[in-house]
Amino acid sequence: MVLSKKRARHVIEEIIALFPDAKPSLDFRNHFELLVAVMLSAQTTDAAVNKATPDLFEAYPSPQDMAMAGEADIAKYISRLGLYRNKAKFLKKCAQQLLDDFDGQVPQTRTELESLAGVGRKTANVVMSVGFGIPAFAVDTHVERICKHHDIVKKSATPLEVEKRVMEVLPPERWLPAHQAMIYFGRAICHPKNPECDHYPQLYNFKDI
């Protein structure tokens, strides 16, 4: 049974209240580094990405530098990450696209971001919201699991259906705080196995809602 909009919002707002200061856990200093870090984070922990990116960014601080590099050279810096060969290929091609199509700048619209090699909807949403402050809601494995576990969406919901549901339930200014808080909540409390959500009864206090 999927929760009503009011009850779904209550659950999400309580999650935000548990982690009110949640910030992006990927390390970056500019839009290009953010884009690269989010691309690298697919099927890899943010902590692992943060170990790889300092040397990577020192070697290739700009799209120009990365576009000129060989795939094998890029791969050396990210070889401890999952799917690193594919990611190296995407990084090089993406950097070249930034030069060819966007004057070396990271674009701000979803359509333009998704035109880049290796960039899907989730990555585009993170770059838009975290990098440019444009309201968007990114759905990762934590967000999807939490929304299904807490009946914010049906168990069979796709990532896009999860995204649309949360955007429907919350006002735009709450999308980014919700995304960040859900990541922390998923890591610390709503685990894939043996979730500890029952220790937080405020999530389910639906009296008068």
Side-chain angles (χ1 to χ4, degrees), residues 45-111:
T45 66
D46 289 359
V49 173
N50 289 340
K51 289 179 181 178
T53 49
D55 289 342
L56 178 71
F57 293 150
E58 184 176 349
Y60 312 117
S62 70
Q64 291 90 334
D65 297 306
M66 193 166 284
M68 290 173 62
E71 286 179 28
D73 293 321
I74 297 173
K76 291 176 186 175
Y77 290 95
I78 59 173
S79 60
R80 294 184 179 181
L81 306 181
L83 308 173
Y84 73 94
R85 289 189 179 88
N86 272 345
K87 289 176 179 178
K89 178 177 69 175
F90 286 142
L91 288 179
K92 178 176 172 61
K93 185 174 181 182
C94 176
Q96 189 62 55
Q97 287 177 289
L98 290 176
L99 296 178
D100 294 343
D101 302 335
F102 302 106
D103 297 322
Q105 302 298 310
V106 176
Q108 299 186 29
T109 70
R110 178 179 285 108
T111 300

Side-chain angles (χ1 to χ4, degrees), residues 6-188:
K6 286 185 177 180
R7 290 189 172 189
R9 177 168 183 176
H10 169 82
V11 172
I12 299 173
E13 291 287 1
E14 289 296 336
I15 291 172
I16 295 173
L18 286 170
F19 301 96
D21 301 317
K23 297 287 190 295
S25 51
L26 289 170
D27 296 333
F28 63 93
R29 296 168 296 187
N30 53 53
H31 295 138
F32 176 63
E33 290 188 359
L34 172 62
L35 174 62
V36 170
V38 179
M39 290 172 66
L40 290 176
S41 70
Q43 298 186 34
T44 305
T45 66
D46 289 359
V49 173
N50 289 340
K51 289 179 181 178
T53 49
D55 289 342
L56 178 71
F57 293 150
E58 184 176 349
Y60 312 117
S62 70
Q64 291 90 334
D65 297 306
M66 193 166 284
M68 290 173 62
E71 286 179 28
D73 293 321
I74 297 173
K76 291 176 186 175
Y77 290 95
I78 59 173
S79 60
R80 294 184 179 181
L81 306 181
L83 308 173
Y84 73 94
R85 289 189 179 88
N86 272 345
K87 289 176 179 178
K89 178 177 69 175
F90 286 142
L91 288 179
K92 178 176 172 61
K93 185 174 181 182
C94 176
Q96 189 62 55
Q97 287 177 289
L98 290 176
L99 296 178
D100 294 343
D101 302 335
F102 302 106
D103 297 322
Q105 302 298 310
V106 176
Q108 299 186 29
T109 70
R110 178 179 285 108
T111 300
E112 290 174 323
L113 284 163
E114 289 188 9
S115 74
L116 299 170
V119 177
R121 189 175 183 90
K122 187 202 84 169
T123 297
N125 282 342
V126 173
V127 172
M128 289 167 61
S129 59
V130 175
F132 295 104
I134 298 169
F137 185 76
V139 177
D140 64 6
T141 54
H142 293 297
V143 171
E144 184 175 351
R145 181 176 71 252
I146 291 163
C147 286
K148 290 180 177 180
H149 181 72
H150 290 280
D151 297 320
I152 293 166
V153 297
K154 58 187 179 183
K155 296 294 189 284
S156 61
T158 65
L160 182 57
E161 287 173 333
V162 174
E163 177 185 331
K164 289 182 176 179
R165 171 66 168 166
V166 172
M167 291 169 66
E168 177 185 61
V169 166
L170 295 176
E173 66 271 14
R174 302 299 278 167
W175 295 347
L176 181 57
H179 171 74
Q180 301 294 0
M182 282 187 181
I183 291 173
Y184 282 72
F185 184 71
R187 289 174 181 160

